[in-house]
Amino acid sequence: MTTVLYPGSFDPVHNGHVEIVETASQLFDHVIVAAMRNPQKSAGVLTLEEREQVLTETFEHLDNVSITMFSSLVVDLAQEMEADFIVKGLRAVSDFESELQMAQMNKAISGVHTIFLPSASEKSFLASRLINEIARYGGNVSSMVPPPALRVLREKFST
Amino acid sequence: MTTVLYPGSFDPVHNGHVEIVETASQLFDHVIVAAMRNPQKSAGVLTLEEREQVLTETFEHLDNVSITMFSSLVVDLAQEMEADFIVKGLRAVSDFESELQMAQMNKAISGVHTIFLPSASEKSFLASRLINEIARYGGNVSSMVPPPALRVLREKFST
Amino acid sequence: MTTVLYPGSFDPVHNGHVEIVETASQLFDHVIVAAMRNPQKSAGVLTLEEREQVLTETFEHLDNVSITMFSSLVVDLAQEMEADFIVKGLRAVSDFESELQMAQMNKAISGVHTIFLPSASEKSFLASRLINEIARYGGNVSSMVPPPALRVLREKFST
Amino acid sequence: MTTVLYPGSFDPVHNGHVEIVETASQLFDHVIVAAMRNPQKSAGVLTLEEREQVLTETFEHLDNVSITMFSSLVVDLAQEMEADFIVKGLRAVSDFESELQMAQMNKAISGVHTIFLPSASEKSFLASRLINEIARYGGNVSSMVPPPALRVLREKFST
Amino acid sequence: MTTVLYPGSFDPVHNGHVEIVETASQLFDHVIVAAMRNPQKSAGVLTLEEREQVLTETFEHLDNVSITMFSSLVVDLAQEMEADFIVKGLRAVSDFESELQMAQMNKAISGVHTIFLPSASEKSFLASRLINEIARYGGNVSSMVPPPALRVLREKFST
Amino acid sequence: MTTVLYPGSFDPVHNGHVEIVETASQLFDHVIVAAMRNPQKSAGVLTLEEREQVLTETFEHLDNVSITMFSSLVVDLAQEMEADFIVKGLRAVSDFESELQMAQMNKAISGVHTIFLPSASEKSFLASRLINEIARYGGNVSSMVPPPALRVLREKFST
């Protein structure tokens, strides 16, 4: 049985993330989606509780997907969860280099491998930061995020 | 008649920006240069009033160029101004990916297109952030910015 | 009135090209699609006559698009056709650098500008070379090329 | 049980390829290494028989790795072999874009997914083309290829 | 006699930096390693005094390497130190563009040249920011930094 | 005394190359410009004799520059010439990765280092292949190549 870990900020989860989870859910036996609480970064748009709630609703139709929160090194979580490897999405060249660097440092400190799933190109332009900026100004992001994330953004920015 | 919108921070406008505006002014009927007030970003080096003043003086020799300030989504401004499309400069690969991403999100939420003008390569190394850093330490940036921007930087950093 | 030149190999034209022409046709007054006969490159998959035929059928629904063939410098064609500027599509970083280099050399030898239109991301993975390779082995490329190109590829590779 | 397909030219297989196969062999149940006969490309340095022989010897210590040759679309081979997905190595940005494009076209025509394994960075500078060029001039490539490939290169270039 | 200046943040120095200094020390007569105090950036993990101490211990075995701190334009320091040129390491594409931009601005304001030394690829994944993040969570970074840096990180994060 | 080797095809030498040689001639004691005869590549536009003649005339004003031809591994030439290291120009991201790969393989097989000099950005769009293509069609390349190269291109293409 293959268990994979898919870590991220998910602030909020968008349709590019959803696609990666659906693909991983199809290719592997168990997918753990893990939202990271980063004490170094500023608070974020959604609280960690909101992210967990949104992720849970978004993936409740997929039996082999579970949700967790964490505030440790991702490789420590991978070992604790007995994940076989880490899964990341790859959209663009700018993603690629920092992801490769992180994958190699993670391998060096723990032996845990990272594999990459390419984004379907029609999702490759999505980015949580830009989605939040559009939502803040009242723009319509309903084609970019799953319904539970849209509901939270609307509450947040009263749009 | 073709009206184009050229948005940016212009903190301060530099010779790479000037070249894009001059090219757009030659290729299209009307060019609106729009300086964005970004409530998310920190205050900036020039105030919005200084940027407007510098832009106005810099482009007063071009009859078909007008200046505006805005604090909304750039696509909302484009529609309000009845611009046919947005114009952006392209210098380097690192520009390219984030600009392409923004262009595709803007197209998705509003139908407004973005076209790209390449920077002449001798201007492609200019960046407002680095110009401000050099000016702050008393370096000579007179070959990098138009005279009105140079005057404001000198006042600001007493150089 | 703005006339633009869209040069390429079009061996064969695919849906990414179609999208660029449709956008240019909407933004500018007249679009000239020009298929280049490159005496340095090997013969190609479609003959120049087939490319012209396929382009003509593909764009016959767009009144302001015309088709031409050429075997000269693209900037000489632009000047002969009285085009205001050259239009190119931009999909990926690898496109970007060689296109920027060509744009700057073309500007240097003739003064003719090049502007770039971004590909909609769901078309950005299309490439004539790969399409031909798939068609050669009997793969189904009907979602990648317009019907006239599909017909010619099927005749060519008897698929 | 997870079966993966690892296609390539392997002309010759080098230590970067070996590392990908060893990682895949550890992460998945069965790895099929498939050397492609490309009728479009020129003959290559090793014959297809030599590549098969070198691959077989190189991976005979890994029980769950098998070797095959093919001259069809890689997605057709994947389906024929009942592979769950295709595996590719990722070393550099230049790899990344063409690999992503191929992965998306393969997904579009067949539904077969591709996942990417990053190269350990000390192997990331290896390339069969450069190895052949060094060997041709009598340079020492013993740290770059597995022993069976070294033997064939030495016979070929009498070094 | 050739004197070169190698500027950086060194917060902390890691094995990728060490390799660049060792190569420069072998190729040129005198290497000045200069740690920059950046008043714009936030405080950093190591104090400037700690960085100086760590750099001094790390390079005390190299007779032609000296250490300095600075808080001015790097080109002003280069001229004051009578350095023949600036030396920078190059690891990845993302480094490359910003480094090239800085090199061209530095050349424009002062005439001082920058040359680039490529990182050995097994060091190319190291980055001070990620090393600090790993150390903060108690991960083992002993293979990534020289012993004096390791000692300071351990004191800092009590690991 | 520092001796550096600057290898290339120089088919023909252009103003971007000239700038690299002039910078190297200023920074180092002796610069050897070496034109490679590549038996794998097709014949080229200029003969090796023409390249040698053009290089000799182009750099006759620089006392510490000498010209040589070679058909061996560049690292073997570097060792035979007792060069301290190899010098290469860097213009664009696409250059960067293949140059870095070659630098790392050269270091691995011989211990010879490569350093990189950035092109001044106004020269960074020059490429011998495009210059030859423009000259072939009668375009004016006098701003792109030194006079001796221009004379040979004009004879060759009767322009």
Side-chain angles (χ1 to χ4, degrees), chain A residues 59-104:
Chain A
F59 298 117
E60 67 188 354
H61 65 294
L62 295 171
D63 281 351
N64 63 344
V65 172
S66 56
I67 312 295
T68 190
M69 307 286 117
F70 74 111
S71 60
S72 62
L73 287 180
V74 69
V75 292
D76 289 345
L77 180 68
Q79 290 175 329
E80 184 194 320
M81 292 297 202
E82 301 187 346
D84 293 278
F85 44 84
I86 295 166
V87 164
K88 300 298 291 276
L90 266 192
R91 298 167 308 169
V93 166
S94 42
D95 277 354
F96 170 67
E97 286 212 327
S98 58
E99 289 295 345
L100 202 59
Q101 193 176 52
M102 218 173 307
Q104 289 171 335

Side-chain angles (χ1 to χ4, degrees), chain C residues 23-75:
Chain C
T23 301
S25 151
Q26 181 186 337
L27 299 183
F28 307 114
D29 299 302
H30 182 203
V31 180
I32 303 165
V33 179
M36 178 181 40
R37 176 202 302 278
N38 190 338
Q40 297 311 106
K41 281 198 187 166
S42 56
V45 170
L46 275 66
T47 66
L48 210 61
E49 292 65 36
E50 288 169 328
R51 296 182 213 178
E52 180 165 28
Q53 180 59 27
V54 167
L55 287 167
T56 303
E57 289 181 42
T58 300
F59 297 117
E60 70 187 352
H61 65 294
L62 295 170
D63 279 352
N64 65 344
V65 173
S66 56
I67 311 296
T68 190
M69 307 285 118
F70 74 110
S71 59
S72 61
L73 287 179
V74 69
V75 292

